[in-house]
Amino acid sequence: MELKKIIDRGEALVMLGLDINFTQLDLIKSYKKLVKEYQLKMEYNENNNIFSVVANDLYNCSIAYLTLRNEEMVHDNLETSQPLLIFTDASVYHNFDYAAFAIVVENLSKNFSVPEEIIKKYNIIAEDSSSPDICILTGFIKNIDVNTAEIVGIIAAIEVFQFHAIETVQKIILYTDSLSAKKVLTDDMLPPDTEIYSELRQRFKEILSNSDVELIVKKIQAHAGHLMNEIADTAAKNRCALENNI
C-alpha cells in the first residue's frame, strides 16, 4: 500500500515560500527552484545521513506542491473549461524591409501583461480594434520571407500568452493558415528544404520544453470565412503597410 503524507495549506505555503495570493506561475517557479536546490545538495554530498534528510525534504516539497496545485486547480468552470484560442497570420510585401504578424485571442479570462522584453523583441502593440472579448496584437520583424513571418508570429504568440495559460489552467489551441509553418514547428522532423528555419524550430521546442503549457497547433483554411482568421489577416496587412509606409 502506498503511504500518502498530508500537508495542510499553511504548511505548504511556508515550505514553498509563497504568500496566500500566489498564482499558478508562482507555484511552479517556486517548486522548480527548490527541486533544483535539493538535487544539487544530493549530487554534491556523500554523507548518507544528510542525503536521507535532503531526500525527505524533497519528498515533502513535492507533497506541498501537489497540495497547492490541486487546490488552485478548482476554478470556476467558465475560466477553465474553455481553452485559450489563438489565431496567427502574417503579411509580407516583397522587396520591402519589414514583415508583420497578428495575434488574435479569444477566451482570455483575466487581464494579462506582456513582458517588456517581448514587446521590444517583436515590436508588439495592442490594436485599437481589440475588445473585451477579442485581444488583437501585432508585431513586425525584418522581412526574410513569408514562412519566417508566419513562424515568428506563432512563437511570439506562445511567448506572450504561455504564462497566462498556466495561471488560468487553460490549454492553448493555436490556429494558423500556414501549413509550412505548422509542419516546420510540429512535424517529427524538419520537412525537406526547410533547414533555413531550423533555429526557429529549435526556439519553439525550447519554449515548450521549459514551460508547462499545453499547446495544440491546428491548420485552418485561409480566406474561408473564419472570422478570427480574417481579423488576424487584416491586422497583419495593416501593420505591414504601416511599417513599410505603403
Side-chain angles (χ1 to χ4, degrees), residues 22-203:
F22 74 91
T23 65
Q24 281 287 308
L25 181 58
D26 295 332
L27 176 61
I28 292 167
K29 285 183 175 181
S30 178
Y31 177 62
K32 284 185 174 180
K33 178 182 177 183
L34 287 172
V35 168
K36 185 175 182 179
E37 291 175 358
Y38 290 138
Q39 288 175 335
L40 288 173
K41 287 180 181 178
M42 289 189 289
E43 183 177 348
Y44 294 105
N45 201 310
E46 297 180 356
N47 186 306
N48 288 336
N49 290 332
I50 294 178
F51 186 93
S52 177
V53 170
V54 174
N56 187 64
D57 289 341
L58 177 57
Y59 172 77
N60 289 336
C61 176
S62 298
I63 296 298
Y65 167 77
L66 291 173
T67 298
L68 296 177
R69 186 199 66 176
N70 291 339
E71 175 187 283
E72 292 303 310
M73 285 179 68
V74 182
H75 286 279
D76 186 328
N77 287 335
L78 291 176
E79 278 195 13
T80 60
S81 62
Q82 301 184 69
L84 201 60
L85 301 181
I86 300 179
F87 296 77
T88 63
D89 205 354
S91 179
V92 171
Y93 290 102
H94 296 293
N95 301 319
F96 281 84
D97 292 335
Y98 301 112
F101 60 84
I103 303 167
V104 179
V105 186
E106 286 187 294
N107 296 340
L108 283 165
S109 58
K110 58 189 289 187
N111 291 332
F112 71 97
S113 60
V114 182
E116 187 67 26
E117 63 269 22
I118 302 298
I119 293 175
K120 291 181 178 179
K121 186 188 340 184
Y122 299 113
N123 305 290
I124 288 177
I125 61 171
E127 296 293 333
D128 292 338
S129 49
S130 295
S131 71
D133 299 317
I134 301 173
C135 172
I136 306 173
L137 305 178
T138 59
F140 74 88
I141 59 171
K142 182 179 179 181
N143 184 7
I144 298 174
D145 61 31
V146 66
N147 288 336
T148 297
E150 296 278 8
I151 293 168
V152 170
I154 292 171
I155 292 173
I158 298 169
E159 289 195 64
V160 169
F161 290 103
Q162 61 175 324
F163 298 119
H164 175 86
I166 291 171
E167 286 190 19
T168 57
V169 199
Q170 290 174 282
K171 69 180 176 182
I172 294 176
I173 300 180
L174 188 146
Y175 294 90
T176 174
D177 61 17
S178 171
L179 181 59
S180 296
K182 180 182 184 299
K183 291 176 71 67
V184 164
L185 296 177
T186 64
D187 278 7
D188 292 338
M189 299 183 64
L190 269 173
D193 303 319
T194 60
E195 289 78 9
I196 187 176
Y197 310 117
S198 59
E199 289 187 10
L200 291 174
R201 173 185 167 94
Q202 181 62 31
R203 173 60 183 154

